[in-house]
Every structure is written in structure tokens, then in C-alpha cells.
Amino acid sequence: MNIFHRFHTSERAATKIPETGTTTQAPRERVSRFEELPPELHLLISQQLTYPDALSLKHTNRYFYYLVDTGLKLKVDWLIERRSLHLECPNDRCCDLGSDLKFCRGSVRLLMQRRREHFECESRPGLGCLVYGTKSCAHRQQPGFWMKRCLRSRLTIELCILQDIDPTPRSMATTRDWLDTVYLAYFLIHIPILLCVDLVPLYPASLWVPPSSPLHLLYDLRVYYIETYNDQFFAPPPAAIPSFFSLFAFLELIFHLPVSLWAVRALLGNRGGSSCKQNGLNGSTELLLLVYGIETALTTATCMYEALLWDPVVVTWQQKLVLLGGLYGGYLAVAILLTVDMYTRLLRRLDMADAMKKVE
């Protein structure tokens, strides 16, 4: 921004007419405006600007919008500069570097407003003016004038940092939010199926097999499932159950059930109950769901392949179509979708971290 300050100062100085002893004045020379400079100079000047100044120039008109680059590197450079000057920075999970619109949400917008109003200038000895790059700031107001705005701005920023939320309301749901809703519905359906169908053989038989047992309803539900879908994995002897299916059931007990309960809590917390919504799942949650998706896809695909080999006399092709296409196929589709989505999110995090390391 100090480049424009010096440019306009030199322009005003160039337009001064020297005083002479005669009554006639020297002809004024025409001085080119900033917009009339060659594109090469525009590009060189824009490359010397910090992110807030480059963003302001970018939105001046259509020409500068396509000329000025406000990409990832400039955003990271500005954040590193603020960190080196010990100024407030947005929280990493509240800061989306994907685009200018996403980046300027929440606390970033407030930080840029404070900088534009010279609120941070001379906040420490030797800091100077952050807008014009001078040793002193002539535009800084007295502390009493800014007291009320300071309290309001700091409160909003601290809420965003401590609660990891984006205070800017969304006009429409993003693809990530829609997928998180799908995952939440999946886990809410998956947990009762685990407890009432898949894990029932691991319960003590006295709890659910005898007619007088307290959980005999699970036995009736299991009989209904076998009669309806003819699933040989759950059929009683003499049906041959593959040895790997017992291992898969054990994995559902020690891995699927805890992860499903934890995922429901994380996804519900991500949705929030107020107008301020959290800014997506964190990296550890995405990593765990990636492992869950890979494991579920592999085990489900193994069961589907085994089901395809069942004797058509025992299980007809129509029953296989319903069983594999409607039940196991749905699990496989959600597992693949979850795997690809979590891998994409984690890859984006790693690319962002690599970009920051290169800048440092």
C-alpha cells in the first residue's frame, strides 16, 4: 500500500508549478494516472503488495481482477508476516485458503478491518504504520476512541479462535456439509443394525435364544431377516459359514461400534446447535474415518464376493440381487464414498502444510 502512497505523493509534487517573477504560468505537463501505466508495471507493483492491499487492488475493476494474483502463497506470506510481528492470526481450523471468499470469513475479515482502520499500527514500539509502511502512523486514533470497537472486535475474534467456528452465515450448504449429513445418517442407522443383528451371535445365548429371555426379540428379528433375505452368513447349521466372517464380526465389535459412536458425536458436534457452525471435521477425525472406510470397503467386498459363489439352488439370483444390490451394495457404496472423501480432505491438508513449509 505504501507504493500507492508514494505514487500519489509524487504525482502531486509533479503537478506543482514553479513560481516565477512574471504573471504568466508555465504550462502544466500531463501526468499519467496509475491506471494508464503499462501492464508490466501493474504486474510488478501488484507483486510487491501484501495480501490485503493486493485484494483491494484486485477488486478495483475487471482488469485488475484478472491481473492481480491473491493465491495461496500470498495468503501464507501475509499470515507468516503477522506471526513474525506478533500480531493476531486466525486459527488454523478457521482459516480456509481455498479462495478469497472462504479465506476472508470470520476472524480474517475482522483482522483486515482492524488493519484498514490503523488499529494495529504502533501497537508496539518500533512497529510503525502497517498500511503505508512508514515509521509512524498519522492515521491512528486515540485509544479512547477505539475502546468500544476494540472490545467488540477482540470478543468476536476470540470466540472464533476458542470455539473454532465461522461467524459468517452460509447462504447454502456446501458439498462437504451435505456429505457429512449422509455420513451421520449412515452411522445412526449402522449402530442399531450392529447391536440388533450383526453382533447378536456374540451375546450369551441365554440372553436372546430362549423364549423367556429378556432379549428374545433379537432372536425373532434374526429369524425374520433370514427368512426375508436368505442371508447364508446368518443362517443356522447346517449352513456353512466362512471362517473369515467370525473375524469380521469381531472387528465390528472392537472397531466398527466404537468408531461409529465416536463419529456420531463428532458429526453432531460439527453440525452445532446454534447459528454459528463449526468449520468442518478436524484432521484426526478425517484420518480415523479414512481407515474405517478402507476397512469397511474391504470386508464388505469380501462378503459380496463370497455371496456371489453361493449355490443358486439355496439362494436364487433374485435373492442375491436384492441382498447384494440393496444391503451389502449400499454399505460398499457409502464406504467407498467415505474413503475417497476423507482421502481428498487429508490430501488438501497435506498440500497446504507443504505449501507453508516451502514458503518458510
Side-chain angles (χ1 to χ4, degrees):
M1 194 69 181
N2 56 347
I3 296 178
F4 297 107
H5 179 67
R6 292 197 297 268
F7 176 80
H8 290 295
T9 302
S10 62
E11 181 180 352
R12 289 194 298 267
T15 57
K16 291 182 179 179
I17 301 175
E19 297 181 359
T20 60
T22 62
T23 57
T24 60
Q25 295 182 351
R28 299 179 59 181
E29 296 182 359
R30 183 178 181 275
V31 180
S32 299
R33 298 186 303 171
F34 176 75
E35 294 84 352
E36 297 175 355
L37 294 177
E40 294 81 3
L41 292 180
H42 288 157
L43 184 61
L44 290 175
I45 292 174
S46 66
Q47 292 174 352
Q48 303 300 319
L49 301 178
T50 59
Y51 176 77
D53 300 329
L55 184 65
S56 299
L57 179 61
K58 179 178 181 178
H59 289 274
T60 302
N61 53 41
R62 186 181 299 240
Y63 167 74
F64 286 114
Y65 184 84
Y66 292 102
L67 178 71
V68 179
D69 180 22
T70 56
L72 175 64
K73 184 179 183 302
L74 194 62
K75 297 183 181 72
V76 174
D77 288 341
W78 181 60
L79 295 177
I80 293 177
E81 179 187 5
R82 293 188 61 86
R83 181 70 67 182
S84 64
L85 296 175
H86 303 284
L87 298 173
E88 289 184 275
C89 293
N91 185 272
D92 58 347
R93 284 194 265 169
C94 281
C95 187
D96 191 340
L97 303 178
S99 64
D100 291 330
L101 180 62
K102 295 178 181 179
F103 182 68
C104 293
R105 288 174 173 172
S107 61
V108 174
R109 177 178 60 86
L110 297 175
L111 292 177
M112 295 177 65
Q113 178 181 352
R114 295 175 66 185
R115 176 187 179 275
R116 184 171 60 251
E117 296 173 348
H118 298 267
F119 182 81
E120 297 176 325
C121 297
E122 297 183 350
S123 57
R124 294 195 329 275
L127 190 59
C129 181
L130 298 176
V131 179
Y132 294 110
T134 56
K135 295 183 179 180
S136 60
C137 182
H139 303 274
R140 178 176 170 83
Q141 300 290 340
Q142 296 298 325
F145 179 82
W146 296 101
M147 184 61 66
K148 184 177 180 180
R149 180 169 293 182
C150 171
L151 294 176
R152 183 176 68 251
S153 301
R154 284 192 62 87
L155 178 61
T156 307
I157 293 174
E158 292 302 327
L159 283 175
C160 180
I161 294 176
L162 294 178
Q163 298 183 13
D164 190 22
I165 59 176
D166 182 2
T168 303
R170 298 183 180 182
S171 59
M172 57 185 300
T174 63
T175 303
R176 183 183 62 186
D177 300 328
W178 180 83
L179 289 175
D180 288 346
T181 303
V182 173
Y183 303 147
L184 178 60
Y186 162 78
F187 285 114
L188 289 176
I189 296 174
H190 184 52
I191 292 174
I193 293 177
L194 286 176
L195 297 176
C196 298
V197 179
D198 294 353
L199 300 179
V200 171
L202 301 179
Y203 301 163
S206 59
L207 293 179
W208 62 281
V209 175
S212 59
S213 59
L215 300 179
H216 185 69
L217 179 63
L218 300 180
Y219 177 82
D220 296 334
L221 180 63
R222 189 177 182 84
V223 172
Y224 170 79
Y225 174 77
I226 296 174
E227 293 177 350
T228 303
Y229 298 103
N230 199 14
D231 191 342
Q232 297 301 297
F233 290 128
F234 297 89
I241 299 178
S243 58
F244 64 80
F245 193 75
S246 301
L247 175 62
F248 290 174
F250 183 70
L251 287 175
E252 287 183 324
L253 176 62
I254 65 173
F255 182 69
H256 278 232
L257 183 59
V259 172
S260 299
L261 294 172
W262 185 77
V264 168
R265 180 178 179 273
L267 292 169
L268 286 176
N270 181 45
R271 294 172 64 85
S274 61
S275 59
C276 295
K277 187 176 182 296
Q278 291 187 8
N279 196 24
L281 301 174
N282 55 38
S284 59
T285 304
E286 294 171 354
L287 180 60
L288 180 59
L289 291 180
L290 173 63
V291 176
Y292 174 88
I294 295 175
E295 189 271 340
T296 303
L298 291 176
T299 54
T300 305
T302 303
C303 292
M304 293 179 67
Y305 178 76
E306 177 68 20
L308 286 174
L309 302 179
W310 287 342
D311 190 349
V313 178
V314 180
V315 183
T316 63
W317 285 107
Q318 290 78 5
Q319 291 175 329
K320 289 183 180 181
L321 181 62
V322 174
L323 187 65
L324 301 182
L327 298 180
Y328 288 91
Y331 272 96
L332 181 62
V334 175
I336 294 176
L337 177 63
L338 181 66
T339 301
V340 174
D341 184 30
M342 293 301 120
Y343 173 78
T344 304
R345 299 189 192 187
L346 288 172
L347 184 62
R348 183 180 180 183
R349 291 180 182 272
L350 293 175
D351 291 341
M352 187 181 303
D354 291 340
M356 295 184 68
K357 288 181 180 180
K358 291 179 180 179
V359 173
E360 293 177 358

